[in-house]
Amino acid sequence: MPTARLSGLNALVIGGSSGIGQTLAEGFQREGARVAIAARTTDKVSRVTERLRESDSSALGYTVDVTERQAIDRLATDVSRDMGTLDILVNCQGTTVIKPATEVSEAEFDQVLDTNLKSVYFTSTVLGGLMLDRGQGAIINIASLAAHRGWPNACAYSISKHGILGLTRTLAAEWAEQGVRVNSISPGFFLTELNRDRMPAERKQAALTRTPYNRFGEVDELVGAALFLASEESGFVTGTDISVDGGYLAGGI
């Protein structure tokens, strides 16, 4: 029987209590990783942690607001105490505001940027410090098609996701010699808790029209890319973004 691809590795998925993050946490666990999740809502964290513990009693869950720097410091302390080492970090936290740019308030702008970009910077630099201390590790940031195109009526979100690509590439270049790889995944259109009820019907139809596969993605279809970036199979891959988008970015007219 072949060895699980992540056997013996410790993984932390921030935003792992729902949607893409939960799916990645479950996928990592199936491949042998010891998994911890972190998210803001206690009930959701508890529910998913209990589900993970059905397969591995050592699974962990942390309730944390990663928009607060001190909370990230505490998370790093807890992870170091509970897991000993950290091999894989996934940043999957995210929020959005769907409205014209001129109508976005300062508070709404700050909420999106704090959640989608600022928190990823500090989770990467603080928790990544646990990897730098050992000279090995893999960070995977969840970007978006909005990191590659202008995204009307989601300006703050698009800004934050463009920032994720810049952060990913810069940390990759800075940390390569120290053994820590940093990559990102840009999902195409996947109906998740974040966007299912916020995306207008006409926007959903436009997404399908511009996606050569002519369908929405299934979140399980993101697991393969994440496993590749988390495992030794991508040992010489850093600073790269993998688009899992049904051909959206490749499509023409």
Side-chain angles (χ1 to χ4, degrees):
M1 184 175 180
T3 303
R5 295 159 76 183
L6 304 183
S7 180
L9 301 182
N10 293 324
L12 171 64
V13 181
I14 298 178
S17 66
S18 63
I20 292 171
Q22 178 181 344
T23 300
L24 296 184
E26 292 170 349
F28 285 177
Q29 187 183 72
R30 287 194 299 271
E31 285 295 324
R34 182 189 184 191
V35 174
I37 63 167
R40 186 179 300 181
T41 306
T42 300
D43 290 347
K44 291 182 178 180
V45 170
S46 297
R47 175 182 59 81
V48 175
T49 303
E50 287 306 311
R51 178 169 174 168
L52 292 169
R53 285 176 177 165
E54 292 175 3
S55 299
D56 180 359
S57 61
S58 69
L60 297 165
Y62 302 97
T63 299
V64 57
D65 183 352
V66 290
T67 64
E68 299 178 2
R69 169 58 195 270
Q70 290 182 337
I72 297 172
D73 291 336
R74 290 193 296 271
L75 176 62
T77 298
D78 291 344
V79 168
S80 181
R81 178 197 65 212
D82 297 338
M83 304 187 87
T85 59
L86 183 63
D87 302 290
I88 303 160
L89 171 65
V90 178
N91 282 302
C92 197
Q93 60 270 42
T95 189
T96 190
V97 174
I98 304 297
K99 60 173 59 175
T102 55
E103 298 178 11
V104 175
S105 69
E106 182 177 3
E108 289 171 328
F109 182 88
D110 288 345
Q111 179 189 26
V112 173
L113 270 292
D114 285 352
T115 302
N116 294 7
L117 183 56
K118 179 182 174 182
S119 76
V120 177
Y121 178 89
F122 284 110
T123 54
S124 295
T125 53
V126 174
L127 289 155
L130 302 179
M131 300 177 180
L132 292 169
D133 288 344
R134 300 171 59 229
Q136 65 183 63
I139 297 174
I140 303 168
N141 298 322
I142 303 302
S144 168
L145 296 183
H148 303 268
R149 297 286 188 270
W151 225 242
N153 296 315
C155 188
Y157 179 81
S158 183
I159 291 169
S160 71
K161 293 302 184 177
H162 275 74
I164 289 296
L165 292 189
L167 173 63
T168 297
R169 291 164 180 161
T170 302
L171 291 182
E174 187 170 330
W175 291 351
E177 290 187 355
Q178 295 166 270
V180 176
R181 298 181 296 104
V182 188
N183 293 288
S184 61
I185 296 172
S186 287
F189 286 96
F190 293 76
L191 293 182
T192 66
E193 187 175 305
L194 176 63
N195 65 16
R196 182 179 290 107
D197 297 326
R198 299 187 187 188
M199 188 184 296
E202 62 274 13
R203 199 176 182 94
K204 291 179 181 177
Q205 185 55 51
L208 290 175
T209 299
R210 295 185 62 180
T211 300
Y213 263 61
N214 197 35
R215 66 172 175 83
F216 293 106
E218 301 290 338
V219 288
D220 284 343
E221 293 175 306
L222 291 164
V223 174
L227 287 174
F228 169 69
L229 293 176
S231 70
E232 293 181 356
E233 296 169 17
S234 60
F236 199 54
V237 178
T238 196
T240 292
D241 179 76
I242 298 178
S243 297
V244 184
D245 65 356
Y248 184 97
L249 292 176
I253 58 173

